[in-house]
Amino acid sequence: MGKNSYWLKSGFYSMGYRLSVLIFGFGSFYFLIRYFSQAEFGAWALFISITTIIEMSRNGLIQNAVIKLIHTSDPNDEGKIVLASFSINIIYSAIIYLLLAGFSGVLSRMFHIQDIGTMFVYYGVTIFFLIPFSQFNYIQQAKFSFSGIFWSTVLRQGSFFLAVLFICVMRVKITLIDLVLIQAACTFAGLICAYFCARKFIRITYSWDGAIVKKVLGFGKYVMGTNICSLLFKTVDQFSVGYFLNANIVALYNSAIRVSNLIEYPSTSVAEVVYPQSAFRTSSEGDHAAKVLYEKSVGLTLALTLPVVIGTVLLADYIIFIIAGPEYHEAATILRITILYGIFTPFNRQFGTVMDSSGRPQLNFALMLASVFINIISNYLFIQQFGMIGAAYGTLLSYVIVFLVGNTMLTRIFGIEMQQIFHYMFYYYGVAFQFIQKKLKTRLQG
């Protein structure tokens, strides 16, 4: 596979499946926020925030370790790596479900929502299906194959959106617990698709190798900790609003967060394509490869996100009115603040990619762990002072602090140059302008 072919094909599928998550997730949000009451939608928003942390922590524990070990270990050990990661996945899932079921009552009392504990009990069905679903996708990513991930995600997210659309249009009466079970059925559909796409890559050696298990856990524990901290960092504001205020306020706040979170998709898509290449190239070329990939990927992501940030600040009132309705108009002010997170997200996301792929996951974990405590403190102080909007102020301050600390670390370790990042950003704008100019010229001449 040629160099350009890899980046174009992988980038297309990675961006495509992230875009499908964006479109279908946003579509489900659009209808559910109108179907449920503010309190019910607030409960669903908190449920999704917690389950996202669970799914991303699983990815952190296993995904990057599998990719890294497959590319740096003896090819004959590939099957052992897959078996070890699958076993860890099963054990992890069992522990998570037992914790959720055991603390379901505590969660209901903590967030003052009666049904949320039962929702987590039924979420166990989804957890069970996600074990093989996630494994199939890890293997495909390690093999630089993103098409199967794209199609399985489209089926999982798309079927859930269609179910929500049918329920809302036909005004079918359902509960939040019913919605959790529908989510499980859609995950099963995605699992079937993921299996057929990944089966040609599956190689399992039916022999237990404790050394490989230790390698997966040794690397994955830091990445899992980082993912958990990263998601906690991004959801501390919603949890704080739910704890200190109420579910109705969570619904208002979540409507703004839903929009501002959309800006993370370019960063995540670029990171997923960069990570396998960064892991491969740093093992042979050293830290200079990581430096160049960081500067280019951040420059590209900034080029994509900056226009969105500016446009959202200017049009926040109209955006909230369109996506959530007039009763959520207060969320526009929050959106103008939370969309500013998108300026710092490319730096923070690619910081993690470079640290993990270069064999320094412990540094990434340390920074993200510190960031959670910073965000908790800042949210507490700002919410006490300013109420709901204080959560947005506190989180924005935390983003700035993480960016400054992370950039200092990258400069000292890799020699990252900020001017190079902006050089690449304007370079990509130039490429896009030339492409558009060429297309317009061709059309006018035709």
Side-chain angles (χ1 to χ4, degrees):
M1 182 185 292
K3 181 179 178 181
N4 291 334
S5 175
Y6 168 79
W7 287 106
L8 289 173
K9 188 175 181 180
S10 300
F12 171 79
Y13 280 118
S14 181
M15 185 68 76
Y17 97 78
R18 284 291 169 185
L19 190 60
S20 71
V21 173
L22 163 62
I23 294 172
F24 293 131
F26 190 78
S28 300
F29 158 81
Y30 181 87
F31 288 103
L32 289 175
I33 200 170
R34 288 163 170 79
Y35 179 87
F36 289 119
S37 67
Q38 281 194 359
E40 288 175 319
F41 184 78
W44 179 252
L46 287 172
F47 171 79
I48 290 297
S49 296
I50 294 173
T51 55
T52 300
I53 292 173
I54 292 169
E55 293 188 29
M56 292 304 294
S57 63
R58 179 207 311 273
N59 291 345
L61 180 63
I62 303 168
Q63 181 182 36
N64 287 8
V66 169
I67 295 170
K68 182 76 174 177
L69 290 174
I70 284 177
H71 288 294
T72 57
S73 301
D74 188 324
N76 295 322
D77 289 336
E78 182 177 323
K80 296 179 181 179
I81 294 169
V82 173
L83 178 61
S85 63
F86 186 67
S87 303
I88 293 169
N89 202 337
I90 293 173
I91 296 170
Y92 165 86
S93 300
I95 293 172
I96 287 297
Y97 181 69
L98 290 173
L99 289 173
L100 286 175
F103 288 94
S104 59
V106 175
L107 291 170
S108 296
R109 291 190 295 273
M110 180 184 298
F111 295 113
H112 319 293
I113 302 169
Q114 184 177 357
D115 287 341
I116 200 166
T118 309
M119 290 165 68
F120 283 116
V121 172
Y122 282 96
Y123 178 68
V125 181
T126 300
I127 289 177
F128 177 76
F129 291 145
L130 281 173
I131 296 172
F133 178 86
S134 58
Q135 284 295 137
F136 295 145
N137 285 345
Y138 301 155
I139 294 169
Q140 290 180 85
Q141 191 175 359
K143 295 297 182 179
F144 306 123
S145 178
F146 293 85
S147 60
I149 302 174
F150 169 77
W151 289 114
S152 61
T153 302
V154 166
L155 185 56
R156 181 189 178 193
Q157 301 292 338
S159 58
F160 183 75
F161 166 71
L162 291 176
V164 169
L165 179 63
F166 175 81
I167 290 165
C168 294
V169 171
M170 302 303 295
R171 302 306 298 176
V172 179
K173 183 62 179 176
I174 65 165
T175 66
L176 290 172
I177 295 169
D178 296 329
L179 198 59
V180 173
L181 293 174
I182 293 170
Q183 183 188 60
C186 297
T187 301
F188 179 73
L191 164 61
I192 300 301
C193 179
Y195 167 73
F196 283 104
C197 293
R199 59 181 177 174
K200 62 183 176 181
F201 299 118
I202 299 173
R203 291 175 56 193
I204 299 178
T205 301
Y206 294 99
S207 61
W208 186 261
D209 192 325
I212 289 180
V213 173
K214 288 181 179 179
K215 286 182 180 179
V216 174
L217 290 174
F219 188 91
K221 65 185 180 183
Y222 290 113
V223 183
M224 180 184 73
T226 300
N227 280 10
I228 293 174
C229 291
S230 176
L231 286 164
L232 285 174
F233 175 80
K234 290 187 293 185
T235 53
V236 158
D237 49 358
Q238 293 187 72
F239 291 149
S240 298
V241 168
Y243 182 79
F244 290 111
L245 302 174
N246 57 61
N248 290 45
I249 302 299
V250 172
L252 280 170
Y253 194 86
N254 184 260
S255 63
I257 287 292
R258 278 278 182 167
V259 179
S260 58
N261 281 350
L262 301 183
I263 207 167
E264 292 191 11
Y265 284 92
S267 297
T268 303
S269 299
V270 171
E272 287 177 343
V273 176
V274 167
Y275 180 80
Q277 279 291 319
S278 186
F280 174 74
R281 289 180 58 180
T282 52
S283 64
S284 57
E285 301 175 32
D287 287 345
H288 179 71
K291 172 185 182 298
V292 174
L293 284 171
Y294 175 87
E295 292 169 348
K296 287 184 176 180
S297 58
V298 173
L300 172 60
T301 314
L302 277 176
L304 295 170
T305 56
L306 272 179
V308 179
V309 171
I310 295 170
T312 303
V313 170
L314 296 175
L315 304 172
D317 292 291
Y318 300 100
I319 293 171
I320 291 296
F321 178 81
I322 291 170
I323 67 163
E327 63 270 27
Y328 287 85
H329 68 276
E330 295 177 65
T333 304
I334 299 170
L335 177 57
R336 286 192 172 91
I337 301 169
T338 58
I339 197 65
L340 298 178
Y341 304 168
I343 297 174
F344 306 100
T345 297
F347 296 94
N348 298 347
R349 182 60 55 86
Q350 297 303 328
F351 171 89
T353 299
V354 168
M355 289 299 183
D356 289 349
S357 63
S358 64
R360 300 177 176 91
Q362 67 275 14
L363 295 181
N364 190 21
F365 170 67
L367 178 59
M368 289 313 304
L369 180 62
S371 73
V372 172
F373 288 103
I374 292 170
N375 206 18
I376 290 172
I377 294 170
S378 62
N379 265 262
Y380 173 77
L381 295 175
F382 279 87
I383 288 175
Q384 298 299 315
Q385 184 68 30
F386 301 105
M388 177 175 62
I389 201 171
Y393 286 137
T395 303
L396 179 60
L397 175 62
S398 302
Y399 267 97
V400 173
I401 294 172
V402 171
F403 161 72
L404 293 173
V405 175
N407 187 65
T408 301
M409 294 171 67
L410 288 169
T411 302
R412 292 182 178 179
I413 296 172
F414 299 99
I416 298 296
E417 300 174 77
M418 189 64 65
Q419 64 267 29
Q420 282 295 102
I421 293 172
F422 289 104
H423 165 77
Y424 285 120
M425 184 186 76
F426 287 111
Y427 167 77
Y428 290 122
Y429 280 139
V431 170
F433 177 77
Q434 290 175 4
F435 175 79
I436 295 170
Q437 188 179 45
K438 184 179 178 180
K439 287 293 181 181
L440 288 174
K441 185 177 180 181
T442 303
R443 177 160 294 188
L444 289 172
Q445 289 176 347

